[in-house]
């Protein structure tokens, strides 16, 4: 039987505190009881953030400071909202069901919008479009405006729309330079047409939920004042992940009581690529003068060495408020660093360690392998499948189940077997060739009637009038391409053939032109696919391997190792965590550094911090001396993040059959020639100099931070351009370089104004 609020609030001997406060440490209790005025709770990884947030909400209700409907509590996921309701319910009884304003940002914004829809020319019965509906609407608008959607893709425009709305920008407020981001200066007009069409349909997309709220609050001060009176207390979870629109929305609502409590961790802000602004949490004290800041630094998850390594690493970031995690769980294993020959050796090493853990009485469910990018999963999946090691991919499908990989396989299957109708249907109009569903249905019907394959039916029908126009032309070109590829297959390696097919079919170009956040990852997966094919003697052997992999049953008892990206791991924890691929250009990723410079490097470092702090008992980091990256062997150097971890918390060992990261290990007399490239890097030379000067360091931790700077790469001084140089951009014309940040330049263009561009997109001015 649950206790009522009054019973819960009743003092309990001997401390005279309500029962729900029992068990909190001093900092947690301070965060719960500091209910007046703005409060920022900096909650480090594993410090009991959710407990603080829910107990604070319970405390406000139990002490009578507010009634349930006077609370606004927002989270980022429905799962987090349900967990918060459940936990508060356990603390104070069934009254939590009466908290109507507890939910995600979008669900609460939708409630508000339905109450005031007429203020933005909508009816309260408006429809919320999903991504597919949004893309269909964009396609209609582009077609009506005569814009070539092959050159200017609907997904690209959809991504631009999301970006503008995440920043709280209506069509009238988007920057002048953003007009030129789509369709030769028509971006703003298209945005206006899109919004007008939504109004006619009485619909909105997800971005509109907050954007319309901002419009209502800014243009109707009486409505905003009503919510100021309504909400006495505001609670915000994961504040470091808020975008500009969410930040503005919260600031407007907090102008009333000023009783806003934001819980977050600036060191775990890893979603900049989807609009999150770490500056929101960094400037909290400026936004809310007199704010109380409570730091939760006592960690209940990880061992002393894991926390020491993670805390030492993150101190290299300049944009942070600062805190140091600690634990009473002293000792434990140091963070292990392993240097390996190549990616295959790395996958072998991880699999061996997993089997050793299970033989020692552990469980597969104890284990997580966290990679920087999805393409890295393929080597581990292959190894696990070969050994029969049970695993699951979290946050996405297995490598060979991904849509782009299945599409590529369909092309190869059809080249190998013209009778494969399933493959034909999948890719006959992918990418778009003007062959619509009606034409495909005609082909299928004709094939069934004549008892031939769809490929054969297509050859017959393009010679008749049953299929006309673009569909006929598209089919003719597609069949001609298939014939040409089949001829090449007779005297060409299958991995080389795959690369040609993906290129000549337009499939690679389709994703290259797609500006959605997922497109780059899909291209990486296709490159990894081509690389994987090279490991098999024939196309038949490779496709047979894929078929067997797809047919394997998963473990039914939940005893599986977890394989996921670092982004998907946030909020999870495991006794044993593997962190492979810690090499420059892989982690930190080259793309992030090229596109974001110093800010992206700090986000990559926060991602490394998140990865290490997922481990409760053991964390094992690995890097290789050589890695096959998208079909090319590259000599790689250890990530700078390895060297940024304090040596006292890191241990590098040499295992039988593996070469280690550093020199001086017993049993390793001489590294192989191909591995020597690691020791000849600028960072290694710095290490030798430090040794000579008597600055002995842990031999397994290689000087990584300055390696690319010395070699003229990444953020070092070795870039091609300097401030003052004249350059030419294909789109923006002539300009003068004002600032260099890694591979990103700030250029003052003569006609287009000041813009940030990637160095590779400009050339020397004639």
């Amino acid at each position: 039987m649950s206790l009522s609020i009054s019973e819960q609030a009743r003092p309990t001997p001997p401390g005279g505190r309500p029962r729900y406060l029992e068990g909190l440490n001093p900092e947690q209790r301070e965060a719960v009881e500091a209910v007046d005025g703005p409060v920022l709770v900096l909650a480090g990884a594993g410090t009991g953030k959710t407990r603080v947030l829910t107990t604070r909400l319970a405390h406000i209700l139990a002490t009578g400071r507010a009634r349930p409907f006077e609370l606004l509590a927002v989270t980022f996921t429905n799962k987090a909202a349900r967990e918060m309701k459940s936990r508060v319910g356990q603390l104070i009884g069934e009254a939590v069901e009466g908290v109507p304003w507890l939910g995600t940002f979008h669900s609460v914004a939708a409630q508000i919008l339905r109450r005031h829809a007429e203020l933005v020319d909508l009816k309260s019965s408006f429809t919320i479009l999903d991504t597919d509906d949004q893309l269909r609407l964009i396609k209609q608008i582009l077609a009506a405006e005569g814009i070539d959607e092959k050159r200017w893709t609907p997904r690209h425009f959809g991504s631009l729309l999301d970006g503008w709305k995440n920043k709280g920008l209506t069509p009238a407020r988007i920057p002048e330079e953003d007009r030129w981001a789509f369709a030769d200066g028509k971006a703003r007009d298209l945005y206006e047409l899109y919004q007008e069409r939504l109004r006619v349909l009485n619909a909105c997309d997800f971005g509109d939920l907050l954007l319309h709220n901002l419009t209502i609050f800014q243009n109707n001060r009486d409505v905003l004042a009503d919510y100021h009176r309504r909400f006495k207390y505001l609670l915000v979870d994961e504040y470091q992940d808020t975008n500009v629109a969410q930040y503005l929305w919260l600031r407007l609502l907090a102008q009333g009581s000023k009783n806003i409590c934001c819980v977050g961790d600036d060191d775990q802000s890893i979603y900049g690529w989807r609009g999150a602004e770490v500056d929101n949490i960094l400037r909290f004290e400026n936004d809310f003068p007199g704010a109380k800041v409570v730091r939760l630094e006592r960690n209940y998850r990880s061992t002393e060495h894991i926390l020491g390594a993670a805390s030492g690493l993150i101190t290299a970031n300049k944009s942070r408020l600062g805190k140091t995690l600690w634990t009473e769980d002293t000792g434990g294993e140091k963070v292990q660093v392993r240097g390996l020959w190549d990616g295959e050796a790395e996958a072998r090493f991880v699999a061996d360690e997993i089997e050793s853990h299970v033989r020692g009485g552990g469980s597969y469910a104890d284990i997580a392998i966290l990679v920087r990018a999805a393409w890295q999963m393929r080597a581990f999946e292959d190894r696990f499948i070969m050994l029969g090691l049970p695993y699951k991919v979290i946050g996405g499908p297995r490598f060979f189940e991904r849509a782009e990989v299945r599409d590529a396989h369909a092309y190869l299957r059809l080249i190998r077997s013209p009778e494969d109708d399933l493959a034909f249907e999948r890719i006959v109009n992918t990418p778009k060739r003007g062959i619509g569903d009606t034409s495909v249905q005609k082909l299928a019907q004709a094939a069934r009637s004549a008892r031939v394959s769809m490929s054969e039916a297509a050859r017959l029908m393009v010679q008749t009038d049953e299929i006309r126009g673009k569909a006929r032309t598209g089919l003719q070109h597609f069949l001609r391409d298939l014939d040409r590829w089949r001829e090449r297959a007779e005297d060409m390696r299958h991995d080389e053939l795959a690369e040609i097919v993906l290129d000549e079919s337009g499939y690679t170009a389709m994703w290259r032109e797609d500006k959605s956040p997922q497109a780059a990852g899909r291209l990486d997966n296709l490159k990894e696919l081509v690389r994987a094919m090279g490991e098999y003697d024939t196309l038949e052997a490779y496709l047979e391997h894929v078929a067997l992999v797809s047919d394997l049953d998963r473990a039914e008892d939940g005893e599986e190792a977890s394989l996921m990206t670092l982004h998907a791991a946030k909020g999870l924890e495991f006794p044993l965590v593997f962190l492979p691929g810690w090499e420059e250009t892989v982690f930190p990723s080259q793309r992030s550094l090229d596109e974001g410079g110093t800010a992206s490097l700090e986000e990559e470092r926060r991602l490394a911090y998140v990865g290490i702090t997922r481990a409760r008992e053991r964390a094992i980091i690995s890097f290789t001396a050589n890695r096959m990256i998208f079909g090319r062997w590259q000599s790689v150097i250890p990530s700078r993040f390895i060297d940024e971890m304090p040596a006292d918390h890191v241990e590098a060992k040499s295992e039988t059959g593996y070469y280690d990261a550093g020199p001086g290990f017993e049993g390793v007399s001489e590294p192989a020639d191909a591995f020597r490239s690691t020791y000849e890097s600028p960072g290694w030379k710095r290490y030798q100099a430090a040794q000579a000067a008597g600055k002995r360091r842990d031999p397994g931790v290689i000087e990584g931070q300055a390696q690319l700077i010395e070699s003229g790469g990444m953020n070092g001084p070795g870039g091609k351009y300097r401030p003052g140089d004249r350059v030419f951009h294909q789109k923006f014309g002539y300009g003068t370089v004002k600032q260099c940040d890694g591979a990103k330049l700030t250029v003052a263009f003569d006609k287009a104004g000041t813009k940030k561009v990637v160095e590779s997109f400009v050339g020397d001015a004639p």
Side-chain angles (χ1 to χ4, degrees):
M1 179 178 173
S2 60
L3 298 173
S4 68
I5 293 179
S6 59
E7 288 174 317
Q8 283 281 354
R10 188 179 301 152
T12 55
R17 293 187 181 276
R19 294 178 184 176
Y20 54 77
L21 294 178
E22 293 176 359
L24 298 178
N25 66 40
E27 293 76 25
Q28 290 174 332
R29 189 176 301 133
E30 181 184 8
V32 168
E33 295 182 322
V35 293
D36 297 322
V39 177
L40 176 63
V41 181
L42 284 177
T47 57
K49 166 192 68 109
T50 304
R51 183 178 185 184
V52 165
L53 196 60
T54 54
T55 306
R56 179 184 173 88
L57 193 154
H59 181 65
I60 292 170
L61 291 172
T63 54
R65 286 178 166 82
R67 291 167 292 183
F69 53 84
E70 295 174 323
L71 287 172
L72 171 64
V74 288
T75 67
F76 272 86
T77 66
N78 289 314
K79 179 182 177 182
R82 288 193 299 269
E83 183 178 359
M84 189 182 298
K85 284 186 177 182
S86 174
R87 290 201 188 192
V88 175
Q90 293 171 8
L91 291 174
I92 63 172
E94 298 179 0
V96 71
E97 296 302 326
V99 182
W101 302 101
L102 193 163
T104 65
F105 278 94
H106 288 102
S107 66
V108 173
Q111 286 188 66
I112 293 174
L113 182 55
R114 291 206 186 275
R115 290 169 172 247
H116 309 285
E118 73 283 353
L119 297 178
V120 287
D121 297 327
L122 292 174
K123 299 175 183 177
S124 61
S125 59
F126 63 81
T127 301
I128 302 174
L129 301 187
D130 60 18
T131 303
D132 288 342
D133 291 333
Q134 183 188 35
L135 285 175
R136 269 201 300 273
L137 179 58
I138 292 173
K139 288 179 181 179
Q140 292 173 10
I141 293 171
L142 296 185
E145 293 300 303
I147 293 171
D148 182 4
E149 69 172 67
K150 291 183 178 179
R151 182 183 178 192
W152 305 102
T153 66
R155 287 186 182 276
H156 182 195
F157 189 62
S159 179
L160 290 172
L161 286 172
D162 290 342
W164 292 325
K165 292 183 180 183
N166 285 341
K167 294 176 182 177
L169 299 176
T170 59
R173 296 179 60 192
I174 67 170
E176 183 65 22
E177 59 266 24
D178 280 12
R179 284 182 50 202
W180 298 92
F182 193 84
D184 295 326
K186 297 180 181 178
R188 179 180 293 167
D189 294 337
L190 291 171
Y191 187 3
E192 289 178 345
L193 288 171
Y194 174 80
Q195 292 300 105
E196 179 58 33
R197 184 63 180 154
L198 285 175
R199 278 189 284 273
V200 172
L201 295 173
N202 191 37
C204 63
D205 58 29
F206 279 99
D208 282 326
L209 296 174
L210 282 160
L211 188 65
H212 284 327
N213 270 217
L214 293 178
T215 300
I216 290 169
F217 292 156
Q218 291 167 346
N219 296 341
N220 302 274
R221 289 295 172 175
D222 57 328
V223 174
L224 180 60
D226 178 61
Y227 284 100
H228 287 165
R229 291 188 292 270
R230 182 187 303 272
F231 298 139
K232 291 186 177 180
Y233 290 91
L234 287 75
L235 296 91
V236 187
D237 192 15
E238 303 285 11
Y239 188 58
Q240 79 280 348
D241 292 335
T242 53
N243 58 37
V244 173
Q246 291 161 339
Y247 164 79
L248 294 172
W249 185 79
L250 287 167
R251 282 206 64 184
L252 284 168
L253 289 172
Q255 289 173 356
S257 67
K258 301 287 196 301
N259 293 330
I260 181 171
C261 174
C262 294
V263 180
D265 183 1
D266 52 325
D267 292 333
Q268 295 189 71
S269 179
I270 59 174
Y271 296 119
W273 51 276
R274 69 182 188 195
E277 293 278 352
V278 68
D279 286 347
N280 292 349
I281 192 169
L282 297 179
R283 61 171 174 247
F284 185 88
E285 292 178 89
N286 291 330
D287 290 338
F288 300 98
K292 184 179 186 66
V293 179
V294 181
R295 286 173 168 80
L296 303 184
E297 299 174 311
R298 180 177 175 180
N299 180 279
Y300 293 93
R301 175 190 299 160
S302 305
T303 63
E304 177 185 24
H305 287 305
I306 290 172
L307 295 181
S311 296
L313 167 68
I314 201 63
T315 56
N317 272 5
K318 304 302 181 186
S319 300
R320 63 188 298 262
L321 295 171
K323 60 184 174 305
T324 303
L325 300 182
W326 63 276
T327 179
E328 291 184 346
D329 185 10
T330 57
E333 290 193 25
K334 292 184 178 182
V335 172
Q336 299 170 37
V337 175
R338 296 288 185 272
L340 300 158
W341 178 265
D342 58 16
E344 184 179 343
E346 185 176 52
R348 237 180 7 251
F349 166 73
V350 170
D352 290 349
E353 286 288 318
I354 291 174
E355 291 187 322
S356 176
H357 174 81
V358 174
R359 283 196 303 270
S363 165
Y364 289 112
D366 296 341
I367 299 164
I369 305 94
L370 311 181
V371 297
R372 173 61 183 87
W375 64 263
Q376 295 173 258
M377 294 183 184
R378 206 273 315 165
F380 295 102
E381 291 193 57
D382 271 2
R383 187 67 183 173
F384 296 166
I385 289 166
M386 187 184 76
L387 296 175
L389 191 155
Y391 76 98
K392 60 185 175 183
V393 175
I394 294 179
R398 296 186 178 200
F399 182 82
F400 291 121
E401 295 171 355
R402 296 174 185 273
E404 63 275 15
V405 174
R406 286 183 178 273
D407 288 343
H409 286 164
Y411 273 101
L412 298 171
R413 284 164 45 197
L414 192 58
I415 291 170
R416 176 173 173 264
S417 176
E419 295 77 22
D420 192 335
D421 285 354
L422 292 176
F424 183 94
E425 283 192 82
R426 184 177 183 96
I427 48 87
V428 67
N429 200 39
T430 304
K432 300 293 185 184
R433 299 183 175 93
I435 307 168
D437 292 342
T438 301
S439 297
V440 174
Q441 289 170 8
K442 287 181 180 178
L443 288 173
Q445 185 177 356
R448 285 194 299 271
S449 298
R451 296 189 177 182
V452 297
S453 69
M454 291 182 69
S455 293
E456 188 62 30
R459 293 183 189 279
L460 296 172
M461 293 187 71
V462 293
Q463 300 174 25
T464 71
D465 292 329
E466 295 170 283
I467 293 181
R468 300 180 180 180
K470 288 184 178 180
R472 174 189 277 181
T473 304
L475 269 177
Q476 288 173 333
H477 290 167
F478 180 57
L479 294 170
R480 191 162 54 243
D481 287 343
L482 286 172
D483 290 339
R484 184 177 68 257
W485 296 329
R486 288 189 184 113
E487 288 179 10
R488 291 189 179 185
E490 295 177 2
D491 55 7
M492 179 181 288
R493 278 189 54 83
H494 52 285
D495 52 340
E496 294 174 0
L497 176 66
E499 200 163 2
I500 288 173
V501 169
L502 292 172
D503 181 47
E504 293 184 353
S505 66
Y507 191 80
T508 301
M510 178 184 77
W511 289 116
R512 191 179 293 122
E513 293 166 4
D514 188 319
K515 303 302 180 182
S516 67
Q518 297 79 21
R522 294 183 189 275
L523 286 170
D524 289 347
N525 290 338
L526 290 173
K527 292 173 184 176
E528 176 63 16
L529 167 68
V530 173
R531 192 201 78 74
M533 292 180 65
E535 298 177 1
Y536 296 84
D537 294 331
T538 65
L539 176 59
E540 290 75 11
Y542 171 75
L543 291 176
E544 182 177 328
H545 166 74
V546 172
L548 292 173
V549 166
S550 301
D551 194 48
L552 286 176
D553 291 330
R554 301 190 183 193
E556 296 181 358
D557 57 1
E559 286 293 308
E560 300 166 305
S562 297
L563 178 60
M564 70 191 90
T565 64
L566 285 158
H567 283 99
K570 189 168 178 292
L572 303 177
E573 58 183 71
F574 302 88
L576 171 57
V577 169
F578 292 93
L579 298 159
W582 280 41
E583 300 126 26
E584 294 290 331
T585 74
V586 177
F587 191 39
S589 78
Q590 186 69 57
R591 181 181 292 115
S592 293
L593 296 177
D594 286 347
E595 295 176 356
T598 303
S600 285
L601 173 61
E602 294 209 345
E603 180 158 321
E604 292 282 290
R605 189 176 285 112
R606 292 194 292 269
L607 196 55
Y609 171 86
V610 167
I612 296 172
T613 55
R614 297 312 92 194
R616 293 207 299 262
E617 300 167 10
R618 295 177 64 199
I620 302 177
I621 296 169
S622 58
F623 65 90
T624 68
N626 307 280
R627 190 173 291 279
M628 177 77 81
I629 301 179
F630 309 145
R632 295 180 178 86
W633 277 106
Q634 297 183 23
S635 293
V636 289
I637 55 178
S639 169
R640 67 192 75 188
F641 300 152
I642 292 176
D643 193 51
E644 291 171 352
M645 294 184 295
D648 291 344
H649 298 290
V650 177
E651 182 177 38
K653 293 181 180 179
S654 175
E655 304 290 345
T656 303
Y658 302 106
Y659 289 110
D660 201 279
F665 287 94
E666 296 180 3
V668 181
S669 57
E670 183 74 16
D673 288 343
F675 193 68
R676 188 174 284 119
S677 61
T678 297
Y679 299 101
E680 293 174 350
S681 69
W684 170 239
K685 293 175 181 177
R686 281 171 55 89
Y687 174 81
Q688 289 179 313
Q691 291 282 79
K695 299 176 183 177
R696 181 73 187 178
R697 300 193 58 178
D698 187 285
V701 183
I702 293 180
E703 292 277 354
Q705 185 175 4
Q707 288 171 336
L708 289 188
I709 294 178
E710 293 182 1
S711 61
M714 293 293 188
N715 299 302
K720 180 178 180 181
Y721 296 105
R722 299 288 183 274
D725 288 350
R726 291 286 290 174
V727 295
F728 177 77
H729 189 280
Q730 193 69 32
K731 182 176 181 181
F732 302 126
Y734 294 98
T736 303
V737 177
K738 294 298 184 184
Q739 185 177 346
C740 305
D741 185 4
K744 188 165 70 174
L745 307 178
T746 301
V747 180
F749 290 99
D750 298 347
K751 295 183 178 180
T754 300
K755 300 182 183 302
K756 292 182 179 180
V757 297
V758 177
E759 183 181 71
S760 59
F761 288 172
V762 300
D764 296 331

